[in-house]
């Protein structure tokens, strides 16, 4: 297998030797700024890389330890899955050691190792033990602990071997995952335009790909990883992208696969207080995710006992998925106080409005049982499309109920109970109509797509010509018709009893109040037989006509048929055509027909 790339961030108190160690391991300078070198202090994120003994490559994101640069530290660690935690042997555990560890724990970083450096200055034994205990307790896994010196090179081979073991144990990210590349640097290069860099945690980027930045399409013109031109790169990796598009990228913005994320400034979350932090949370905080840091407001939804559900309102939209972790920090607090306050786990990226009294408490209850999956989302949203679920980070679990729609099972069964009632009520209110239009049922059930309505149709309901009817509801006769229509039809049938083929003319129909809708209803009810537009007879008149015509000489003309039936050409012509269609008669030539043998 080709060697993979890994990305490891540094962490630890200011001046403990992080950058010196990265420099010693890679031979590269992580502190690029003159000001950094002048002050001997990391201010900006630094990048350096090397090949490990196994051949695997590791890139370091070197963070500043100074308390003033916590935001930068978080931007560096945010998208990175593993950490090299650095503690100076001569100083031991210090405030930013603690703060960085709380941050890693809050972000859910689970892989790391401990380098107790400056071991040339003091006996590292007690610091090794103390710091290692703290890292293990914080959930960083087994945590190998090594004494090293960035100055003398002591222990560096052991550290390289330990890094090899660390990266070998990292879970392999999904190469098909949607891309979300949090930008940590953006700059213009004369002649080639905009370049951004970041840690690609998963997924794949290729030259020519179209991605999105704050909803704007951007094209990947060229791609570099560790200063080498590449055609494609798969996470985890450090990448530099040369972009084309009308954009002004900045740190904290993300390049994403179009349609694969939900850009939202509102999210419902579960809040977990950081180690040592106590609620209630201040209303104004800064939320960190990836390289982003965004001011936000936090609104607790229920009493704390009901699980710490809250609604986050971010000052700008971020591309989020359910299950994402945001770190909440109090930007107003002094540096000697605990600033990393809580983890917010995203449970909904399209939270419902809370209008009614008590809605917030109810929402808190629902969120207390929610997990970051499609089933939980559907309990809130009832119906969601494949694409919506994917953009929320929850691939659908079951089969769609219709055309890419997924439904909450309880909601779906309630709908399938309601549809027959709705159709019945409609039929009662609109007896002249041939069933309920699918669109009316969609509206009545409040559904977003007609195909959902058709998917709900089950026997005895059927759907045809855009309308839903109950099969078996059609009873021959006037019983199902509104009283005035039934009366008029009975009057017609009386007329037809004496002259069965003298279809009523327009005047007679108008006098009886039988317009096209009423006639159509009577025909559907089986109370009348329609042979042509405006030409109706009693049911069964066609069979009777065929019997009479059978007695005529073969073949016969329209004129012979007309007199045999005792009617006019107005009725005879369409009646014969109707008989042709039913297979009771057939044409012999231009003017002659004959009856077809029965059966
Ligand atoms: N003797 C000795 N000095 C060291 C060692 N590692 C770092 N130093 C010194 O400690 C000071 C701080 O080192 P840096 O590597 O800049 O520390 P840092 O952790 O990167 O500091 P920030 O990035 O500002 O948080 C420098 O003067 C280094 O020369 C070491 O192993 N032995
Ligand atoms: Mg440094």
């Amino acid at each position: 297998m080709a060697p993979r790339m890994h990305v490891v961030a540094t962490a630890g108190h200011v001046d403990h030797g992080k950058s010196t160690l990265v420099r010693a391991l890679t031979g590269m300078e992580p502190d690029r700024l003159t000001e950094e070198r002048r002050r001997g202090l990391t201010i900006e994120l630094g990048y350096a890389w090397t090949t490990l003994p196994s051949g695997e490559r590791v890139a370091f994101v070197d963070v500043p330890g100074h308390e003033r640069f916590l935001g930068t530290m978080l931007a560096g660690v945010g998208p990175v899955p593993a950490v090299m935690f650095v503690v100076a042997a001569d100083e031991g555990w210090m405030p930013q050691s603690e703060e960085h560890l709380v941050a890693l724990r809050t972000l859910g970083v689970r892989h790391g190792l401990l380098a107790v450096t400056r071991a040339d200055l003091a006996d590292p034994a007690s610091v090794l033990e103390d710091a290692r205990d703290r890292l293990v307790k914080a959930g960083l896994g087994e945590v190998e602990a090594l004494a090293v010196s960035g100055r003398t090179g002591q222990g560096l081979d052991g550290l390289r071997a330990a890094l090899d073991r660390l990266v070998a144990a990292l879970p392999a990210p999904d190469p098909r995952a949607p891309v979300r590349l949090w930008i940590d640097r953006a700059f213009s290069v004369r002649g080639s335009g905009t370049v951004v860099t970041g840690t690609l945690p998963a997924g794949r980027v290729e030259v020519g790909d179209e991605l999105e930045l704050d909803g704007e399409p951007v094209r990947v013109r060229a791609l570099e990883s560790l200063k080498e031109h590449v055609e494609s790169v798969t996470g985890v990796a450090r990448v530099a992208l040369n972009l084309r598009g009308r954009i002004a990228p900045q740190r904290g913005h993300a390049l994403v696969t179009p349609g694969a994320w939900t850009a939202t400034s509102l999210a419902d979350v579960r809040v977990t207080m950081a180690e040592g932090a106590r609620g209630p949370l201040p209303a104004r905080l800064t939320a960190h995710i990836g390289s982003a840091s965004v001011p936000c407001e936090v609104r607790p939804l229920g009493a704390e006992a009901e699980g710490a559900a809250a609604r986050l309102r971010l000052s700008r939209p971020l591309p989020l998925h359910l299950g994402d972790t945001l770190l909440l920090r109090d930007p107003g607090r002094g540096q000697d106080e605990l600033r990393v306050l809580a983890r917010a786990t995203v449970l909904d990226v399209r939270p419902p409005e809370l209008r009614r009294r008590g809605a917030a408490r109810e929402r808190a209850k629902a969120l207390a049982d929610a997990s970051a999956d499609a089933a939980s989302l559907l309990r809130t949203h009832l119906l969601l499309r494949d694409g919506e679920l994917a953009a929320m980070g929850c691939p659908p679990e079951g089969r769609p109920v219709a055309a890419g729609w997924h439904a909450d099972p309880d909601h779906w069964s309630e709908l399938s109970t309601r549809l027959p009632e709705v159709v019945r009520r409609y039929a009662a209110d609109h007896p002249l109509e041939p069933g309920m239009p699918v669109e009316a049922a969609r509206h009545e059930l409040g559904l977003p797509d007609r195909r959902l309505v058709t998917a709900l149709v089950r026997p005895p309901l059927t759907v045809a010509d855009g309308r839903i009817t109950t099969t078996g509801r059609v009873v021959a006769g006037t019983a199902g018709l509104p009283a005035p229509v039934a009366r008029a039809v009975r009057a017609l049938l009386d007329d037809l009893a004496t002259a069965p083929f003298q279809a009523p003319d327009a005047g007679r129909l108008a006098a009886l109040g039988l317009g096209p809708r009423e006639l159509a209803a009577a025909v559907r009810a089986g109370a009348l037989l329609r042979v042509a537009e405006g030409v109706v007879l009693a049911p069964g008149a066609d069979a009777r006509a065929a019997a009479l015509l059978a007695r005529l000489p073969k073949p016969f003309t329209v004129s012979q048929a007309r007199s045999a039936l005792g009617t006019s050409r107005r009725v005879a012509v369409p009646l014969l055509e109707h008989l042709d269609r039913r297979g009771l008669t057939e044409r012999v030539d231009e003017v002659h027909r004959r009856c077809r043998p029965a059966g």
Side-chain angles (χ1 to χ4, degrees), residues 285-302:
L285 290 162
T286 303
H288 293 262
I289 180 170
S291 61
S293 71
V294 176
C296 70
E297 283 173 33
V298 183
R299 170 185 175 191
L301 293 175

Side-chain angles (χ1 to χ4, degrees), residues 173-180 200-206 233-237 257:
D174 183 356
R176 286 155 312 168
V179 167
R180 180 173 58 177
L200 180 68
R204 188 181 152 87
V205 180
E206 250 177 69
V233 62
T234 306
V236 174
T257 304

